[in-house]
Amino acid sequence: MKKIIVTDLTRFSKGDKVCTAGIDVDTGECLRPMPYLNSARCAELNIQPGAILKGDLNIHVNTTSPHIEDANYTKLEFHGPSKAKEFKDILDNSLSGTVSLGFGIAFGVGQKYIPIEMNANCSIITIKVNPYEIQIHEDQYKPGKVKCSFTDQSGNQFRYLSITDRGFYDYAQRHQNDGSLNILQNFLQSQDDIYLRIGLSRAFQISDRNGYWLQVNGIYTFPKFHQEIRSYQ
């Protein structure tokens, strides 16, 4: 029986499936329960980022890079929300200094994916960003949709990444729709610490680029958080 704190609750563009991932509180190992849960099951288990889950989780024997976190599970049970310090400690203990260091890939200027022939260290990392170096804004190619841009601690800029953090995306999209996205941006800049969970998609091709695409799985703020977005206390 393993105990994990949920660090990722991500949406898909289509369908009712939700991707979850969490970090084992004893080993620091990141685990992605597979098969994916649906929204109803997440609601039943009260799964939100920061939730404590217990269950029999074991890494798939046939996992391949970069999605080495895929794990079978049985008897998944909700054991309450973690405290803010617990959640922050989990994020701190999983930190990578930069995006490149975390994935083990040297990202070029403007690069937003890892080519399929390259082997990354993993498919999810945690980084910390300056509150003034993250921006939530409208998609330049799809007006009305929101994206995330940020600069990591090496000074590398990552522009217009998809936000797959389900709660954060829904909240940001509501602000975009009512023309008040600046309220969310001001909130981010008022925080002391911002942690990002950066994930890699499953492989797919855009134009002539085939690979694993960067996405923002989680956006976590301390010391404050929005009740509408998060459940951790």
Side-chain angles (χ1 to χ4, degrees):
M1 184 74 69
K2 294 184 178 180
K3 174 182 174 182
I4 67 171
I5 292 180
V6 174
T7 50
D8 305 71
L9 182 65
T10 61
R11 65 185 184 87
F12 291 98
S13 58
K14 297 179 181 179
D16 189 44
K17 298 296 184 183
V18 178
C19 181
T20 60
I23 294 177
D24 188 314
V25 298
D26 294 321
T27 66
E29 181 179 35
C30 183
L31 300 164
R32 180 188 293 108
M34 298 285 287
Y36 299 126
L37 301 172
N38 60 31
S39 295
R41 182 59 173 156
C42 281
E44 179 186 340
L45 289 172
N46 199 23
I47 295 178
Q48 293 288 345
I52 298 170
L53 299 180
K54 290 185 179 180
D56 294 323
L57 294 123
N58 296 287
I59 293 292
H60 287 180
V61 294
N62 59 344
T63 55
T64 57
S65 173
H67 293 87
I68 61 171
E69 304 86 1
D70 292 351
N72 299 309
Y73 65 90
T74 57
K75 302 177 182 177
L76 212 55
E77 298 177 351
F78 175 67
H79 283 258
S82 62
K83 297 298 181 182
K85 184 180 184 305
E86 278 184 288
F87 192 43
K88 190 171 186 294
D89 286 347
I90 279 285
L91 296 174
D92 274 323
N93 291 336
S94 66
L95 273 178
S96 297
T98 68
V99 174
S100 291
L101 287 173
F103 291 118
I105 300 291
F107 282 82
V109 175
Q111 182 179 339
K112 296 196 280 188
Y113 80 110
I114 296 174
I116 197 166
E117 65 273 10
M118 299 183 73
N119 290 320
N121 291 338
C122 57
S123 70
I124 313 176
I125 64 170
T126 308
I127 63 168
K128 198 172 180 179
V129 297
N130 184 311
Y132 287 92
E133 296 289 354
I134 179 173
Q135 185 178 6
I136 309 301
H137 46 190
E138 187 173 52
D139 189 331
Q140 61 182 337
Y141 299 112
K142 296 180 180 178
K145 299 295 184 182
V146 293
K147 290 291 180 75
C148 178
S149 298
F150 66 88
T151 302
D152 72 9
Q153 292 184 17
S154 70
N156 203 349
Q157 292 184 329
F158 296 88
R159 304 281 293 166
Y160 293 96
L161 299 187
S162 294
I163 301 173
T164 53
D165 179 325
R166 189 176 69 164
F168 193 96
Y169 178 86
D170 289 347
Y171 185 79
Q173 194 63 61
R174 288 196 296 273
H175 277 295
Q176 172 64 25
N177 292 340
D178 66 20
S180 60
L181 201 57
N182 63 300
I183 293 175
L184 178 56
Q185 189 64 40
N186 290 339
F187 170 76
L188 292 176
Q189 291 181 354
S190 73
Q191 297 305 295
D192 294 338
D193 297 303
I194 296 181
Y195 296 80
L196 303 181
R197 289 284 285 174
I198 306 299
L200 297 177
S201 70
R202 303 291 169 169
F204 69 93
Q205 188 159 338
I206 298 178
S207 186
D208 61 345
R209 295 167 295 174
N210 188 19
Y212 311 100
W213 295 80
L214 294 173
Q215 56 194 29
V216 182
N217 283 11
I219 302 173
Y220 304 121
T221 60
F222 296 91
K224 294 182 179 180
F225 67 98
H226 268 290
Q227 288 283 357
E228 293 179 59
I229 303 175
R230 303 295 174 222
S231 66
Y232 55 92
Q233 302 295 317

